Amino acid sequence: MRIILLQDEKKLGKKGEIIEASEGYARNYILPKKIGVEATPKNLNDLKLQKANQEKVAQENLEAAQKLAAELATKQVVVKIKAGEGGRAFGSVSSKEIAVACKEQTGIEIDKKKIQLSESLKNFGAYEVAIKLHPQVTGKLTVKVQEA
């Protein structure tokens, strides 16, 4: 019996896959537990429409991320930190501080978890910070660290 999986199942497969299962296993386990549905022509068509919709949404998300990356490349964010003797900075700039400064100065809200700092920003100056906007898109933001 052909079954369309409605959820990921460890030994059967991933959501949306069409699998072949024995009649008894399908009737007594898969169908009652709502793990899958029988692969009728109507259900197969519904699956095809769902996949087309998911691809369309994924493409829109990718395009939005690319647009945001292009916009971020033109922006610059200034973060001010305290300085001690000899012009040395106290502490470093965190991704949270960068996210807050970006929202205040540019109006663009970025999740602090998406900001990837290759090194801690402990010195004054300008830095290029990578921001993971999408699995396929990484934007660059210029962060200028100044003395408060």
Side-chain angles (χ1 to χ4, degrees):
M1 175 179 250
R2 291 180 59 196
I3 302 289
I4 300 171
L5 294 177
L6 298 176
Q7 63 191 37
D8 291 351
E9 189 66 25
K10 196 171 190 176
K11 294 183 180 180
L12 295 176
K14 302 261 184 212
K15 178 181 179 180
E17 282 185 7
I18 300 171
I19 62 163
E20 197 67 39
S22 68
E23 187 84 19
Y25 186 60
R27 296 258 179 249
N28 295 318
Y29 182 75
I30 296 174
L31 298 177
K33 291 195 179 232
K34 306 261 192 274
I35 296 170
V37 293
E38 193 172 348
T40 62
K42 179 195 178 301
N43 289 340
L44 289 171
N45 190 35
D46 289 346
L47 177 67
K48 189 168 84 173
L49 292 174
Q50 281 180 346
K51 284 188 177 181
N53 187 34
Q54 287 172 350
E55 288 175 11
K56 181 182 172 194
V57 169
Q59 184 64 31
E60 289 172 357
N61 288 342
L62 177 64
E63 290 170 2
Q66 289 171 338
K67 184 178 172 186
L68 183 59
E71 188 178 340
L72 283 175
T74 63
K75 303 287 183 184
Q76 178 175 327
V77 175
V78 177
V79 179
K80 296 186 178 190
I81 58 173
K82 291 183 181 178
E85 293 178 23
R88 297 194 60 200
F90 277 137
S92 63
V93 178
S94 68
S95 58
K96 181 180 179 183
E97 291 172 315
I98 295 171
V100 169
C102 186
K103 180 157 174 49
E104 289 174 355
Q105 295 172 21
T106 64
I108 300 171
E109 192 166 342
I110 298 172
D111 186 9
K112 69 178 183 178
K113 295 174 190 152
K114 294 183 179 191
I115 298 173
Q116 299 175 324
L117 296 173
S118 57
E119 65 204 33
S120 58
L121 308 181
K122 293 183 177 181
N123 299 318
F124 301 115
Y127 297 91
E128 285 281 318
V129 176
I131 301 172
K132 189 87 167 164
L133 300 170
H134 188 272
Q136 300 170 358
V137 179
T138 302
K140 297 278 186 195
L141 177 66
T142 304
V143 177
K144 197 170 184 182
V145 181
Q146 294 180 341
E147 187 176 339

